[in-house]
Amino acid sequence: DSLTRIALPVDVEAVMFPSFLHIGLCKDLLAPSSIDVGAQNCWDATSLGQFTGCVTAKALEDFGVRWCAPEA
């Protein structure tokens, strides 16, 4: 609840990167705030097929996720 009350400057974008399983929950909990939710990683699949355990950038986009953390 305290995260949703944080007042951010207009030139600051805050993004939380939960595990994939928690993206939906975090999006719901942070909806009243200006904090966005991103994915920790994604697979940029350019071919069709099964990629077990991988979440594609397109699937994240369809889920309303606009951010993906860069690899270290």
Side-chain angles (χ1 to χ4, degrees), residues 28-69:
D28 290 344
L29 292 174
L30 294 172
S33 75
S34 59
I35 300 173
D36 208 350
V37 177
Q40 292 180 3
N41 57 22
C42 68
W43 176 258
D44 187 17
T46 55
S47 61
L48 298 176
Q50 294 183 351
F51 299 96
T52 304
C54 296
V55 179
T56 65
K58 177 65 175 143
L60 291 169
E61 179 184 40
D62 291 346
F63 197 48
V65 174
R66 302 181 313 126
W67 298 89
C68 187

